[in-house]
Amino acid sequence: DGGITQSPKYLFRKEGQNVTLSCEQNLNHDAMYWYRQDPGQGLRLIYYSQIVNDFQKGDIAEGYSVSREKKESFPLTVTSAQKNPTAFYLCASSPLAGRNEQFFGPGTRLTVL
Amino acid sequence: QQQVKQSPQSLIVQKGGIPIINCAYENTAFDYFPWYQQFPGKGPALLIAIRPDVSEKKEGRFTISFNKSAKQFSLHIMDSQPGDSATYFCAASIESGSRLTFGEGTQLTVNP
């Protein structure tokens, strides 16, 4: 069963704590992405990676960090420096070679108390 | 220049109606325009996409109209059903690039 998995579905953390969101894909896609979704603001790109051991900042990278040690995994860490971390986080992947169709995971809803 | 503007923010239609969602872009280098459908609590799913060499594309009840000179494209849903109630996002990218720029989203409600 191919696809993108994100875990956990819901996550609660206290203010000031770092938290890591998991994203795994078995589609053999080269590129992976992290988006943040807030009501009425669409999807905003946090980080993306086109190849293992390389990644680029998106539009709202401050307060976040990522790693890409394996092709199938792209974890996102929300650090204590992120001022307003409560949001719905979406991971996506896409094959490269000139194709931009992105496939999304089911999302993780993070609530910081 | 990277923005994609989407309207309306919300839309309510009766079953069988034809909701129309519009998007406008500024970057003339964009050459791939997808639409995504998202149900509450789920990730978006690709619905239909168009490239600027055609002015219209149909897939089932969903149609994209594309106006290159006006830098606008729109989604039409024929014979809309309550199951179409969802949030719809337009997006744009450069085919050879790797980033999608998303519109703000339209929350569609189809009443029975």
Side-chain angles (χ1 to χ4, degrees):
Chain A
D1 188 21
I4 302 173
T5 57
Q6 291 186 243
S7 60
K9 187 171 178 63
Y10 299 97
L11 191 55
F12 297 89
R13 279 294 182 269
K14 291 183 179 179
E15 193 172 340
Q17 289 182 334
N18 291 357
V19 60
T20 297
L21 281 59
S22 168
C23 178
E24 304 276 333
Q25 55 98 0
N26 60 4
L27 301 168
N28 199 32
H29 285 172
D30 291 306
M32 297 186 74
Y33 310 82
W34 273 106
Y35 293 90
R36 170 181 172 139
Q37 186 173 22
D38 297 282
Q41 294 194 45
L43 282 71
R44 293 184 290 169
L45 183 64
I46 304 172
Y47 269 98
Y48 64 105
S49 168
Q50 298 182 65
I51 194 170
V52 174
N53 292 322
D54 188 45
F55 47 83
Q56 289 76 42
K57 291 181 178 180
D59 300 319
I60 56 165
E62 185 176 352
Y64 300 97
S65 65
V66 293
S67 62
R68 187 86 186 276
E69 297 176 1
K70 298 185 296 182
K71 186 176 183 178
E72 59 270 24
S73 178
F74 191 40
L76 173 74
T77 297
V78 184
T79 75
S80 57
Q82 168 51 233
K83 292 183 174 58
N84 184 20
T86 295
F88 189 48
Y89 290 88
L90 288 158
C91 178
S93 70
S94 71
L96 281 183
R99 292 183 56 190
N100 263 335
E101 181 178 338
Q102 291 188 16
F103 297 83
F104 284 83
T108 292
R109 186 166 298 280
L110 172 65
T111 302
V112 175
L113 307 171
Chain B
Q1 248 204 342
Q2 294 296 321
Q3 286 186 325
V4 176
K5 292 294 188 183
Q6 183 172 347
S7 63
Q9 188 174 7
S10 63
L11 186 56
I12 301 173
V13 299
Q14 293 298 121
K15 177 183 174 181
I18 307 176
I20 301 172
I21 304 170
N22 300 298
C23 285
Y25 64 97
E26 296 178 358
N27 188 347
T28 55
F30 285 149
D31 55 7
Y32 174 72
F33 303 90
W35 285 89
Y36 283 81
Q37 179 189 54
Q38 184 182 31
F39 294 104
K42 306 292 185 183
L46 179 66
L47 194 60
I48 186 174
I50 196 168
R51 290 175 174 80
D53 53 340
V54 296
S55 59
E56 185 176 279
K57 183 175 181 180
K58 290 183 182 181
E59 285 188 7
R61 296 183 293 107
F62 300 92
T63 300
I64 299 179
S65 298
F66 185 80
N67 186 330
K68 189 174 181 179
S69 60
K71 293 185 286 186
Q72 295 176 348
F73 57 109
S74 60
L75 177 70
H76 301 227
I77 306 175
M78 309 302 288
D79 187 26
S80 59
Q81 302 296 313
D84 296 329
S85 297
T87 299
Y88 293 81
F89 293 96
C90 63
S93 74
I94 301 169
E95 186 80 44
S96 59
S98 60
R99 292 187 51 161
L100 280 173
T101 299
F102 284 87
E104 299 90 344
T106 296
Q107 187 171 350
L108 172 66
T109 301
V110 181
N111 289 326

